[in-house]
């Protein structure tokens, strides 16, 4: 009762003060009333020129960080820095339950206004734009490839190949043929071997590879989304990670240590599709791969002679001819087998992030690089860069010993029988594992 009397007295004093201010010419300009859209329950809200209303907070919620939790006291002060509630001269006394109701409305409005940030909305819009863009794709759905021809007819000149799950941009349709542009090729593909429009949306999501490219020197991959969670692993700049899920400000990625999360502040996101290859590009690629394979074999032969000479310690050994192994159909090259056998010697040795020592410790790409260096072949110290070396191998069923198996943020050497040897983690070191223990992004052949 005493509390209510004090509140009543306070209200009377407030009314008197408000009346004095309102009738004073010195303060009329400071009482700019702002409509707030909330039930007044006997109180009109007045804000000074630099104050923020609930309405403006809803309209301009980008000024304040988003949170899944309710705003604390400090956050409320930040959201309403100079707001004051002043009773009007005609205000009627309020009941305590009206005050509580008014406070609840304000609190709920504040919480509702901060459930989505501009970044979230931008990501949602980008996802919708991307999905709409997928409708204009033409995706090959064949066993191997479909020819891209100069005219919408099987009599047309073959300009290139659109391989299975490869993607082109739809231009037009004519007599059961789609005109597309893909990579450097523009021509016609038979519609019965491709999908486009709404049918292409789901397939594009399946065949496209969502990649996060690291933009900071060393990226921390965390067990859960949040800067205060445990670090699962470290990834160097420019490495590429397979994205399996996208959240608000974080993406779920796959690394050797398992699934983890990285902040979108430190990566760029992209969707990779395989494009058509022109006839000229195919010929140039095959010639380049053949030349690189020959050079690698010659380098391996030189390295073998040098090792032999060092072991024997005689000039005669240097003159001894060593013939480089050749590729044998189906069974793989003897040189590739030599690479696999050499790599397996170091099983049990430690994993060291950033290391390149086969005995004292190496990371995954450092291990592959050092193994191949022993055969005279220089490779990059980067798991993502290894996805571009040598020639492409189509599927694990076609892999041969010595081939490089590339994963998201990881790489190993195929040893045959569905297995790889690789520098796994600091806990396990260099080990032999099943090649399919994770999703394979690429298989590359050096010899």
């Amino acid at each position: 009762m005493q509390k209510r009397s004090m509140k009543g007295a306070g209200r009377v004093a407030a009314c008197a003060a408000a009346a004095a201010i309102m009738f004073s010419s010195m303060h009329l300009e400071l009482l700019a009333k702002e409509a707030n859209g909330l039930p007044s329950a006997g109180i009109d809200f007045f804000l000074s020129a630099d104050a923020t209303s609930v309405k403006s907070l809803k309209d301009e919620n980008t000024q304040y960080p988003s949170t899944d939790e309710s705003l604390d006291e400090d956050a409320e002060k930040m959201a309403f820095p100079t707001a004051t509630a002043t009773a009007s001269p005609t205000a009627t006394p309020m009941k305590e339950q009206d005050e509580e109701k008014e406070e609840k409305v304000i609190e709920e409005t504040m919480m509702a206004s901060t459930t989505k940030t501009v970044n979230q909305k931008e990501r949602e819009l980008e996802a919708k734009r991307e999905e709409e863009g997928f409708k204009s794709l033409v995706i090959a759905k064949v066993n191997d490839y479909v020819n891209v021809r100069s005219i919408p007819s099987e009599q047309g000149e073959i300009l290139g190949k659109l391989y299975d799950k490869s993607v082109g941009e739809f231009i037009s349709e004519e007599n059961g043929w789609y005109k597309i542009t893909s990579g450097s090729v523009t021509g016609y593909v038979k519609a019965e071997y491709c999908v486009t429009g709404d049918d292409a949306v789901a397939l594009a999501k399946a065949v496209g590879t969502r990649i996060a490219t690291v933009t900071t020197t060393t990226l921390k991959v965390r067990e859960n989304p949040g800067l205060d969670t445990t670090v699962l692993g470290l990834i160097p700049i420019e490495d590429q990670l397979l994205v399996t899920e996208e959240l608000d400000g974080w993406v779920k990625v796959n690394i050797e240590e398992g699934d983890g999360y990285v902040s979108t502040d430190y990566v760029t996101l992209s969707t990779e599709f395989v494009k058509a290859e022109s006839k000229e590009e195919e010929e140039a690629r095959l010639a380049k791969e053949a030349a690189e394979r020959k050079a690698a074999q010659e380098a391996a032969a030189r390295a073998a002679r040098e090792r032999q000479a060092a072991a024997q310690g005689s000039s005669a050994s240097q003159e001894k001819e060593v013939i480089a192994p050749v590729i044998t159909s189906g069974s793989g090259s003897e040189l590739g087998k030599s690479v696999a056998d050499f790599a397996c010697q170091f099983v049990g040795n430690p994993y060291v992030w950033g290391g390149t020592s086969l005995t004292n410790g190496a990371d995954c790409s450092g291990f592959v690089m050092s193994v191949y260096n022993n055969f005279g072949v220089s490779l990059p110290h980067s798991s993502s860069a290894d996805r571009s070396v040598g020639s492409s191998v189509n599927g694990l069923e076609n892999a041969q010993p010595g081939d490089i198996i590339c994963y998201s943020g990881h790489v190993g050497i195929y040893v045959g029988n569905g297995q790889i040897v690789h520098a796994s983690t600091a806990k396990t070191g260099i080990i032999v594992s099943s090649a399919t223990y994770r999703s394979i992004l690429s298989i590359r052949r050096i010899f």
Side-chain angles (χ1 to χ4, degrees), residues 80-390:
F80 296 94
T82 57
T84 56
T86 308
S88 69
T90 58
T92 58
M94 290 180 60
K95 295 181 180 179
E96 289 185 8
Q97 61 183 15
D98 292 331
E99 292 176 338
E100 293 175 358
K101 180 178 179 181
E102 184 70 25
E103 291 173 359
K104 185 176 181 182
V105 170
I106 295 173
E107 181 181 4
E108 290 177 351
T109 304
M110 289 168 61
M111 292 175 65
S113 69
T114 58
T115 55
K116 282 191 177 181
T117 65
V118 168
N119 288 337
Q120 281 179 295
K121 293 175 182 177
E122 286 178 349
R123 280 190 285 272
E124 289 174 2
L125 288 173
E126 180 60 31
K128 290 179 180 178
R129 283 194 294 267
E130 185 177 54
E131 188 166 306
E132 281 299 311
F134 287 163
K135 294 180 181 180
S136 66
L137 298 179
V138 174
I139 307 175
K141 200 173 182 181
V142 290
N143 291 329
D144 194 359
Y145 63 85
V146 56
N147 288 318
V148 184
R149 297 183 180 271
S150 58
I151 60 174
S153 167
E154 291 183 358
Q155 279 68 53
E157 178 189 355
I158 296 176
L159 303 177
K161 297 175 179 178
L162 189 68
Y163 291 92
D164 182 43
K165 299 178 182 177
S166 295
V167 173
E169 287 283 342
F170 177 87
I171 298 176
S172 62
E173 183 176 1
E174 183 178 342
N175 298 326
W177 292 76
Y178 294 138
K179 186 176 182 180
I180 67 165
T181 181
S182 180
S184 64
V185 185
T186 298
Y188 296 86
V189 293
K190 213 165 188 179
E192 63 182 282
Y193 300 126
C194 306
V195 297
T196 191
D198 291 334
D199 293 336
V201 174
L203 187 56
K205 293 178 180 179
V207 303
T209 304
R210 192 69 165 161
I211 294 294
T213 302
V214 180
T215 58
T216 188
T217 303
T218 303
L219 177 65
K220 295 178 180 178
V221 182
R222 299 182 179 273
E223 287 187 349
N224 295 291
L227 297 177
D228 57 348
T229 64
T230 303
V231 175
L232 188 64
L234 301 173
I235 304 296
I237 191 169
E238 294 184 356
D239 249 21
Q240 296 178 327
L241 302 173
L242 180 66
V243 176
T244 57
E245 186 180 359
E246 296 184 44
L247 308 173
D248 178 27
W250 294 81
V251 289
K252 188 176 183 180
V253 297
N254 184 245
I255 63 171
E256 176 60 13
E257 291 80 2
D259 287 337
Y261 298 84
V262 297
S263 169
T264 54
D265 292 337
Y266 306 109
V267 296
T268 55
L269 300 177
S270 60
T271 302
E272 292 186 358
F273 293 106
V274 179
K275 301 296 182 67
E277 184 178 48
S278 71
K279 187 177 179 180
E280 295 76 17
E281 286 171 337
E282 181 183 29
E283 291 171 353
R285 174 179 58 81
L286 293 175
K288 179 175 179 288
E289 289 175 357
E292 288 179 349
R293 186 178 297 115
K294 182 180 179 181
Q297 289 176 332
E298 291 173 350
R302 285 195 300 271
R305 285 195 294 268
E306 291 170 2
R307 289 195 302 272
Q308 188 178 33
Q312 294 182 357
S314 67
S315 60
S317 66
Q318 296 178 17
E319 297 173 0
K320 183 178 179 180
E321 183 179 5
V322 178
I323 300 175
V326 297
I327 301 293
T328 56
S329 177
S331 61
S333 71
E334 290 301 320
L335 191 50
K337 292 177 183 177
S338 297
V339 170
D341 291 341
F342 178 78
C344 286
Q345 295 181 71
F346 304 101
V347 170
N349 286 347
Y351 171 99
V352 174
W353 192 84
T356 59
S357 172
L358 297 174
T359 53
N360 297 324
D363 59 16
C364 63
S365 59
F367 173 71
V368 173
M369 180 183 74
S370 295
V371 167
Y372 267 94
N373 186 59
N374 188 74
F375 291 84
V377 179
S378 297
L379 294 178
H381 192 177
S382 165
S383 60
S384 58
D386 282 338
R387 291 169 58 191
S388 307
V389 301

Side-chain angles (χ1 to χ4, degrees), residues 15-57:
C15 289
I21 293 172
M22 290 186 66
F23 288 101
S24 171
S25 58
M26 295 175 63
H27 298 286
L28 284 176
E29 292 181 1
L30 298 176
L31 296 175
K33 181 177 179 181
E34 178 167 333
N36 53 60
L38 298 177
S40 67
I43 289 183
D44 289 327
F45 284 83
F46 294 89
L47 303 176
S48 62
D50 59 348
T52 304
S53 68
V54 173
K55 179 178 182 299
S56 65
L57 179 64

Side-chain angles (χ1 to χ4, degrees), residues 57 65 67 69-76 78-80 107 110-111 113-114:
L57 179 64
T67 176
E69 301 174 354
S70 59
L71 294 174
D72 57 21
E73 184 178 352
D74 291 336
E76 289 182 21
M78 179 181 72
F80 296 94
E107 181 181 4
M110 289 168 61
M111 292 175 65
S113 69
T114 58

